Amino acid sequence: MTAFPYTLDGASDGAIDRQPAKAIGLLVLQSDETIEQDFRRVLPASAALYVSRVPSGLTVTNDTLQQMEHHLPNAAALFPRGLRLDAVGYGCTSGTAQIGQARIAALVGQGVDTAHVSEPVSALIAACDALGVKRLAILSPYIEEVSAVLRGVLAQNGVDTPVFGSFEEATERKVVQISPASVHDAAAALAASGDVDAVFLSCTNLRTFDVIDGLERATGLPVLSSNQVLIWHLARLAGVKLGRDGPGQLLKL
């Protein structure tokens, strides 16, 4: 064997500093196949993305969503040691509604030192405020009892959801297989059925990015999705400037 010498990038006075200019952490559900891809499509190269996984159930019920609470500190602790994360996001809309936004921030803070924690619910509320949205049409893949918790949280924060539709699917593996065309058609039908200010496509595993712009043209309304609002909110919290080529009016603000 030949042993070779090497140098260390960022070495200074014996210490190694590889801190990127901006760093965002993302806690992704074990079952989620979509959110990480959406983040990498939109975040600029100047923002580093670090991902950890959270154990999650094969089916989505209020009980399985609540169970994720116990895994959040350990999942957050698996980000690289010594790395400063400007913001960390928990990638589950219904899980956030079930566990609670403040509780999630506290649990994530137990595992990683970061100035900001967000999730799709807080991000959606902030996005609605930025766009002046008070009434949402919601499309969810999940059974009604799961979505009822989310709608209650939104109502408590001044966002009404008078129009609601669902694919009534409880199996997570099937959610990612729901076609974008199905999402488009269902969301367009909801937008046409009531007096709403915007449409929200709920669930981080639902494939929404390729239909948002077309839906906005078809409905004349802002179209929001779980992944889109979370990217937007984390970028704002972290001080990351997004390009204007992401889907929807929100990412162009």
Side-chain angles (χ1 to χ4, degrees):
M1 183 195 79
T2 302
F4 294 98
Y6 59 87
T7 60
L8 299 176
D9 287 342
S12 175
D13 297 327
I16 300 174
D17 181 9
R18 292 283 294 164
Q19 177 68 40
K22 294 293 181 181
I24 290 176
L26 183 62
L27 295 168
V28 179
L29 305 197
Q30 182 180 0
S31 56
D32 198 315
E33 301 177 41
T34 305
I35 188 171
E36 185 177 353
Q37 315 309 321
D38 287 349
F39 264 66
R40 296 194 187 281
R41 285 174 62 173
V42 174
L43 284 179
S46 59
L49 178 65
Y50 296 88
V51 175
S52 182
R53 292 269 169 179
V54 181
S56 58
L58 298 177
T59 58
V60 179
T61 67
N62 288 337
D63 287 339
T64 59
L65 292 169
Q66 189 70 48
Q67 289 168 12
M68 283 188 284
E69 176 180 8
H70 308 294
H71 300 294
L72 284 173
N74 287 339
L78 291 176
F79 288 117
R81 289 187 178 91
L83 183 71
R84 187 190 73 251
L85 294 173
D86 296 287
V88 174
Y90 168 56
C92 186
T93 315
S94 298
T96 298
Q98 184 67 37
I99 298 168
Q101 298 130 275
R103 178 65 174 156
I104 285 171
L107 291 169
V108 171
Q110 291 176 22
V112 64
D113 183 17
T114 182
H116 303 285
V117 176
S118 188
E119 15 62 28
V121 176
S122 293
L124 174 59
I125 293 167
C128 286
D129 183 62
L131 292 169
V133 169
K134 297 295 184 184
R135 293 166 60 85
L136 273 179
I138 293 185
L139 175 64
S140 169
Y142 298 130
I143 58 178
E144 187 171 2
E145 69 175 40
V146 168
S147 299
V149 179
L150 171 62
R151 296 175 72 190
V153 172
L154 293 175
Q156 292 169 13
N157 287 273
V159 180
D160 293 328
T161 57
V163 177
F164 171 74
S166 172
F167 294 118
E168 285 289 291
E169 182 53 65
T171 304
E172 191 67 78
R173 187 65 186 87
K174 290 183 180 179
V175 170
V176 71
Q177 297 175 337
I178 295 172
S179 70
S182 297
V183 174
H184 178 283
D185 292 347
L190 289 176
S193 67
D195 179 18
V196 295
D197 304 321
V199 179
F200 177 57
L201 311 176
S202 183
C203 178
T204 61
N205 206 16
L206 201 62
R207 291 179 291 156
T208 63
F209 265 33
D210 291 332
V211 302
I212 289 175
D213 286 334
L215 275 170
E216 289 196 339
R217 290 191 294 270
T219 65
L221 298 172
V223 175
L224 308 171
S225 79
S226 292
N227 295 348
Q228 176 213 44
V229 298
L230 185 55
I231 291 168
W232 172 81
H233 198 220
L234 288 173
R236 287 206 160 189
L237 293 173
V240 172
K241 184 174 178 58
L242 299 175
R244 297 182 62 81
D245 54 349
Q249 298 177 34
L250 179 69
L251 295 187
K252 297 171 177 59
L253 291 180

